[in-house]
Amino acid sequence: MAAGSEVTSDGLPPLRDVVARHGLEPKRSLGQNFLFDLNLTARIARTAGPLAGVTVVEVGPGPGGLTRALLAQGAERVVAIEQDSRCLAALAEVAAHYPGRLEVIEGDALTVDPSAYAVPGRPLRIVANLPYNVGTALLTGWLETEPWPPWFDRMVLMFQREVAERIVATPAQRVDYGRLGVLCGWRTKARIQFDVPASAFTPPPKITSSIVELVPRPDPLPCRAGALSAVTQAAFGQRRKMLRQSLKALPGLQPADLQPMLDAAAVDGTRRAEELTIADFVAMASWWDERRINARP
Ligand code: SAM
């Protein structure tokens, strides 16, 4: 570091300087809204803690604000997946400051398998200020992990407030309740921890964000994730329609199977998806999955 340059509490330069020095002009196409406030990134890291002995998978470290907080908070190892090669030099400085504890993977998180970094018997946690454009796809992929319980023991993730509300929604919040709420509620205990105002980001997005914590349930109702995903996709795909109509969109469903599937869950076909509990969806999905397996030649 150049003599006389400013350092922060973790001994590294302020993030604003890092971004300027490495020419990290935020790119909208990569969902780049950076956090520069180290008090805020420390708060997010604390929400994921305690981190001693924990491997953290972080998606989208960018210039390294949250990465630094996770390491300062004591994470044993951080595996950070970043698509923007412009950020690698800045992240290399963080890695040098915390020898042997930060591994940066250059790539698209949608195609990298983070379970490869899990060490048997050691906790692995996913912590990220997710890029808005792929956040929901990444979460859905992690929730559909088989077998369950998964390779991570907790997720602490930043989403737009509107997505966070859909994640924690139950049938009582009809407007927000949908496929995401069913998948999250089925396999995890999800709750919003705190909001982050738009002004905390550079550049500021148009909306408020929220930190969501998702803790895997050890024994969710038994069902194959892919089946539940398909049934909820069909049911909520036309959420204003009655189930006896919307469920016709379920791939491969024979017309004669519709009523038995509803009966298996004791669900009236005139109801709408937003009125059903998670257990109702699981019952329908399990019946449909078994029917397809039995129908195979
Ligand atoms: N963690 C940093 C922070 O909190 O300031 C940056 C968060 S920014 C919202 C999202 C980051 O994800 C950016 O660094 C962006 O380059 C990266 N990103 C976007 N799409 C990605 C993808 N498919 N795979 C991996 N990283 C991605």
Side-chain angles (χ1 to χ4, degrees):
M1 198 179 309
S5 58
E6 196 186 340
V7 293
T8 60
S9 55
D10 65 2
L12 285 161
L15 283 154
R16 233 170 251 289
D17 295 0
V18 173
V19 164
R21 191 158 39 85
H22 291 282
L24 301 178
E25 193 57 39
K27 282 190 187 171
R28 212 177 158 167
S29 60
L30 286 171
Q32 290 183 336
N33 300 95
F34 298 137
L35 293 174
F36 289 156
D37 180 350
L38 292 174
N39 290 322
L40 178 57
T41 53
R43 187 175 175 201
I44 299 170
R46 276 198 306 275
T47 304
L51 295 174
V54 174
T55 295
V56 175
V57 168
E58 185 194 1
V59 170
L66 181 55
T67 320
R68 284 164 56 168
L70 292 164
L71 289 161
Q73 209 71 41
E76 183 172 281
R77 188 167 71 124
V78 176
V79 178
I81 307 164
E82 175 57 62
Q83 193 168 27
D84 186 354
S85 59
R86 296 180 311 156
C87 298
L88 299 184
L91 293 167
E93 290 171 7
V94 180
H97 192 70
Y98 292 97
R101 291 173 59 198
L102 172 61
E103 192 176 335
V104 180
I105 315 289
E106 183 188 357
D108 179 352
L110 287 169
T111 61
V112 175
D113 176 11
S115 69
Y117 299 94
V119 177
R122 309 291 294 251
L124 187 148
R125 216 156 282 170
I126 307 174
V127 186
N129 172 11
L130 290 174
Y132 289 155
N133 38 356
V134 291
T136 313
L138 286 167
L139 175 61
T140 307
W142 294 326
L143 289 169
E144 291 182 354
T145 292
E146 301 287 8
W148 198 269
W151 41 269
F152 50 87
D153 72 353
R154 202 190 305 184
M155 298 189 268
V156 174
L157 306 170
M158 175 108 73
F159 290 97
Q160 303 101 299
R161 172 85 203 180
E162 168 258 321
V163 176
E165 278 164 0
R166 286 198 278 127
I167 288 171
V168 301
T170 64
Q173 293 100 30
R174 287 208 181 163
V175 184
D176 298 317
Y177 183 57
R179 177 170 171 248
L180 201 54
V182 173
L183 285 178
C184 293
W186 168 52
R187 280 194 151 172
T188 71
K189 272 190 185 158
R191 59 184 176 152
I192 295 176
Q193 287 285 3
F194 58 91
D195 286 343
V196 180
S199 58
F201 298 88
T202 302
K206 291 200 174 70
I207 33 79
T208 298
S209 297
S210 303
I211 291 290
V212 183
E213 179 196 56
L214 301 105
V215 179
R217 293 182 191 276
D219 51 2
L221 291 170
C223 184
R224 203 174 52 79
L228 185 61
S229 195
V231 168
T232 49
Q233 195 155 6
F236 286 104
Q238 298 169 295
R239 60 187 299 139
R240 302 307 311 159
K241 293 210 168 143
M242 294 179 197
L243 286 161
R244 65 183 183 205
Q245 184 60 33
S246 60
L247 284 173
K248 287 181 183 164
L250 191 54
L253 184 78
Q254 302 300 316
D257 285 345
L258 180 57
Q259 192 55 49
M261 184 171 79
L262 291 162
D263 290 345
V267 164
D268 184 336
T270 61
R271 293 171 74 196
R272 291 174 176 76
E274 61 198 18
E275 298 165 5
L276 266 56
T277 63
I278 292 172
D280 293 335
F281 282 112
V282 168
M284 289 197 294
S286 299
W287 185 92
W288 177 65
D289 208 25
E290 204 164 307
R291 176 93 180 114
R292 283 190 320 156
I293 292 164
N294 292 337
R296 275 191 205 132

